[in-house]
Amino acid sequence: MNTVRKLASIAEITYIKPIEGADAIECAIVNGGWPVVVKKGEYQVGDVAIYLEIDSWVPHKLAPFLSKGQEPREYNGVKGERLRTVKLRGQLSQGLLIKLSDIPNSIIYMDLVVGENVSHILGVQKWEPPIPAQLQGMMKGNFPHFIPKTDQERCQNLRKEIFEEHEGETYEVTTKLDGSSMTVYVKDGEIGVCSRNIDLKETEGNSFWKAAREQNIVDALLEISKDKGEEYAIQGELIGEGIQGNPEKLKGQRFYLFDIYSITEGRYLRANERYSILDSMNNLYGADVEHVPFIDTVCTVARQFTTIDELLEIAEGPSLNPQTKREGLVFKSQFSRHTFRIVFVHFHTKTLAFQLFRRLYSC
């Protein structure tokens, strides 16, 4: 299942809980998953409001109070502010709630239902951190239309799908590495290398192409494509020096694979197919590519966990570097009962809070 990121959506307040030692604020649980600190008494269970996710770029006219009386910042030509994870009186707050009645009169809502994505209507964008020069590169074109991008939905937005609609689904669980999304593909006999959003020209010093060459991904992918008579895109995370603060303390930079997409068939490979292709690339064609670390190969979420909170608790643990706390976990359905797949990610919130104050970065 490919989902469109709901940076701003119509949401229901499913639970209100007090915050210890706080008289003026409380915590509203949105859609059964997201905790948002609000003024006490401002919302009741069952109320509907607009929920904005963390890392949303919120236009100033929508929430001027975010600028705290200062001149608003600017991002992609829009004045506003970025929503961050914050901690108030010990309670994590992940997002913002805005009452429908507080929306500017110029925006008209008709027949909107809970869960509906209103990001475009409100002009809410996804904030992205500045890209280091060695990762920017020269643009050959937009990200290929025949390959899905690697953005994954957060588990807090998929409570109903995970615990109700597909409760028997099994998942492969892997570590979420903190780096930069990278895709290498073969199409019409030629190799392409992409960052998260663009197809890159091969230029001296570009980190994506450098990793693709040094790990012999280019030649191996061409050879296995010829051998199988099929075009593939391998996707993963580029981590290391100069990328997101290098939390893994890696020397240099390295690509770790987490998915393989068949361009020919228009589908992601199943786990066993992915492992087979990766094994052939490494052992038959000389590539040097590792898979992101596995946590569990068969996890039946709805049978092992009953709530999002229980699911979030297992995010804590070591990353690739045993001395580093992992950013989070990625759950990828194993096609046990469905022809589509559910992919979702959840983050270790304690690590996020620490990163927020240490380097002003959150996911």
Side-chain angles (χ1 to χ4, degrees):
M1 178 178 65
N2 293 319
T3 57
V4 177
R5 183 76 175 270
K6 294 179 181 179
L7 296 169
S9 61
I10 306 299
E12 181 181 2
I13 313 301
T14 51
Y15 182 63
I16 301 284
K17 66 178 183 179
I19 300 173
E20 186 176 353
D23 296 325
I25 57 175
E26 57 191 356
C27 181
I29 306 300
V30 180
N31 293 337
W34 291 103
V36 182
V37 173
V38 297
K39 292 180 182 178
K40 186 168 287 188
E42 187 175 20
Y43 293 97
Q44 304 297 321
V45 173
D47 284 354
V48 173
I50 292 176
Y51 170 68
L52 292 93
E53 280 195 11
I54 50 178
D55 277 345
S56 295
W57 185 261
V58 185
H60 185 69
K61 65 180 180 180
L62 185 61
F65 54 87
L66 290 177
S67 297
K68 300 178 181 178
Q70 303 296 315
E71 181 67 21
R73 297 174 176 83
E74 188 169 320
Y75 177 75
N76 286 342
V78 177
K79 289 189 175 184
E81 302 292 341
R82 169 197 169 196
L83 274 186
R84 304 172 184 267
T85 294
V86 296
K87 213 170 189 180
L88 301 170
R89 293 294 185 92
Q91 171 62 54
L92 207 66
S93 183
Q94 295 186 291
L96 176 69
L97 282 172
I98 299 179
K99 289 181 175 290
L100 293 175
S101 58
D102 291 339
I103 296 300
N105 293 332
S106 58
I107 301 173
I108 300 175
Y109 288 90
M110 298 178 63
D111 301 322
L112 293 179
V113 297
V114 171
E116 188 161 350
N117 192 342
V118 293
S119 307
H120 180 70
I121 297 173
L122 295 175
V124 176
Q125 306 176 56
K126 171 71 169 67
W127 180 88
E128 300 282 0
I131 302 174
Q134 72 270 25
L135 296 181
Q136 292 180 4
M138 292 183 63
M139 182 175 179
K140 183 171 72 176
N142 294 324
F143 191 91
H145 65 87
F146 46 83
I147 305 171
K149 287 189 177 182
T150 59
D151 289 332
Q152 312 298 356
E153 187 58 276
R154 299 170 191 251
C155 66
Q156 291 94 329
N157 292 333
L158 295 173
R159 182 190 59 81
K160 185 175 181 180
E161 288 86 345
I162 295 167
F163 292 104
E164 298 177 22
E165 296 177 0
H166 309 295
E167 62 176 339
E169 190 66 79
T170 58
Y171 299 84
E172 169 192 72
V173 187
T174 56
T175 298
K176 172 74 171 67
L177 296 179
D178 193 0
S180 188
S181 178
M182 173 174 166
T183 298
V184 185
Y185 69 92
V186 58
K187 179 70 173 172
D188 299 327
E190 295 186 2
I191 287 287
V193 176
C194 306
S195 61
R196 180 177 297 279
N197 294 311
I198 64 174
D199 204 339
L200 296 161
K201 289 183 180 179
E202 184 171 9
T203 55
E204 184 178 355
N206 179 259
S207 294
F208 295 100
W209 269 100
K210 183 180 179 183
R213 290 292 185 187
E214 288 184 348
Q215 294 177 236
N216 201 33
I217 298 170
V218 173
D219 291 340
L221 193 56
L222 282 169
E223 288 300 320
I224 201 164
S225 176
K226 292 177 185 177
D227 182 43
K228 300 288 186 180
E230 194 164 349
E231 296 176 326
Y232 298 106
I234 67 170
Q235 297 182 309
E237 204 79 7
L238 184 66
I239 66 171
E241 292 177 319
I243 305 174
Q244 305 289 29
N246 191 18
E248 304 291 346
K249 310 304 179 191
L250 190 70
K251 186 175 181 180
Q253 297 173 342
R254 188 166 179 83
F255 169 82
Y256 283 81
L257 178 143
F258 55 64
D259 244 331
I260 299 179
Y261 183 77
S262 170
I263 298 171
T264 303
E265 297 185 14
R267 67 176 179 90
Y268 276 104
L269 300 189
R270 293 175 173 84
N272 63 317
E273 297 172 313
R274 184 187 339 126
Y275 309 150
S276 176
I277 293 293
L278 179 58
D279 182 68
S280 295
M281 286 180 61
N282 286 333
N283 296 316
L284 296 181
Y285 303 116
D288 179 21
V289 179
E290 297 175 72
H291 201 285
V292 296
F294 289 101
I295 303 299
D296 196 349
T297 54
V298 183
C299 174
T300 308
V301 173
R303 292 176 185 170
Q304 296 176 231
F305 308 94
T306 58
T307 66
I308 290 293
D309 284 343
E310 288 182 6
L311 188 59
L312 288 171
E313 287 179 4
I314 68 167
E316 183 173 359
S319 189
L320 187 67
N321 180 341
Q323 304 304 314
T324 299
K325 289 184 178 180
R326 59 182 174 239
E327 185 188 18
L329 298 175
V330 177
F331 288 70
K332 191 178 300 170
S333 66
Q334 296 298 290
F335 303 85
S336 60
R337 296 168 52 211
H338 311 287
T339 56
F340 57 84
R341 71 179 192 166
I342 303 172
V343 182
F344 61 91
V345 59
H346 74 272
F347 299 93
H348 171 39
T349 53
K350 291 181 182 178
T351 300
L352 280 179
F354 173 72
Q355 289 177 336
L356 176 66
F357 297 111
R358 177 169 62 85
R359 56 190 176 93
L360 297 180
Y361 174 78
S362 66
C363 287

